[in-house]
Amino acid sequence: MKQTLFLLTVFFLIVSCGPQQRQSDEKQENQVQKTQIQNVNSSKFHELSQSGNGIVLDVRTLAESQQGHIPNAIVIDIYQKDFENKIQSLPRDKEIYVYCTVGARSSQAAYILQENGFEKIYNLDGGIIDWAKNGYPISK
């Protein structure tokens, strides 16, 4: 009898928690659907970065960016412990054009930006290597 009562209690607790969890999941899904990360080639990235609607974000190390970077880029090293804190200073109403050397770290950074409420994120597919290969400007 005690075991049956215990099982019924556990069952009702699980069932009563279900809808709240679904609502939370739906809210997260809506947020993810609202935010999109777009991987773009260097031509599109150049076009977007020239539009004046956003911020170019270099997520490489300082040493890497000193060797050459996309003009007017802000450098926030994804390897630094305070990366998430530093991106909080970026305006959320601007598009973010993120890049690294080949696109791996910037993909990771784009996901972190997405999780932190940024809604318009463009990742440079192929990174600065593709950018340079296609003849776009690099500053030192």
Side-chain angles (χ1 to χ4, degrees), residues 98-118:
V98 62
Y99 75 95
C100 63
T101 303
V102 296
R105 285 178 282 175
S106 57
S107 289
Q108 182 183 3
Y111 178 75
I112 293 168
L113 288 160
Q114 180 184 49
E115 286 194 332
N116 281 274
F118 292 87

Side-chain angles (χ1 to χ4, degrees), residues 60-69 101 128 138-140:
R60 299 175 301 153
T61 65
L62 183 59
E64 287 175 301
S65 68
Q66 287 175 340
Q67 292 175 3
H69 58 87
T101 303
I128 197 165
I138 293 180
S139 297
K140 289 197 177 196

Side-chain angles (χ1 to χ4, degrees), residues 87-134:
I87 63 170
Q88 298 304 323
S89 67
L90 300 174
R92 283 178 174 63
D93 63 336
K94 295 277 189 179
E95 296 176 348
I96 305 292
Y97 315 122
V98 62
Y99 75 95
C100 63
T101 303
V102 296
R105 285 178 282 175
S106 57
S107 289
Q108 182 183 3
Y111 178 75
I112 293 168
L113 288 160
Q114 180 184 49
E115 286 194 332
N116 281 274
F118 292 87
E119 295 183 8
K120 299 173 187 169
I121 307 161
Y122 298 90
N123 178 46
L124 176 55
D125 196 22
I128 197 165
I129 289 177
D130 188 65
W131 176 270
K133 183 177 84 177
N134 286 292

Side-chain angles (χ1 to χ4, degrees), residues 14-84:
I14 291 171
V15 170
S16 66
C17 291
Q20 292 173 346
Q21 182 63 38
R22 277 190 227 115
Q23 288 173 349
S24 175
D25 289 346
E26 287 173 8
K27 185 177 181 182
Q28 286 178 333
E29 285 175 19
N30 287 339
Q31 178 64 29
V32 170
Q33 289 173 356
K34 187 174 160 183
T35 304
Q36 290 188 338
I37 298 170
Q38 293 184 37
N39 292 314
V40 296
N41 63 26
S42 55
S43 174
K44 183 67 174 176
F45 196 89
H46 181 259
E47 176 187 325
L48 290 165
S49 65
Q50 296 299 303
S51 71
N53 295 329
I55 297 167
V56 179
L57 177 61
D58 183 340
V59 296
R60 299 175 301 153
T61 65
L62 183 59
E64 287 175 301
S65 68
Q66 287 175 340
Q67 292 175 3
H69 58 87
I70 293 175
N72 302 314
I74 296 171
V75 179
I76 304 178
D77 181 353
I78 192 169
Y79 290 143
Q80 294 295 312
K81 288 186 279 188
D82 60 349
F83 177 77
E84 281 195 64

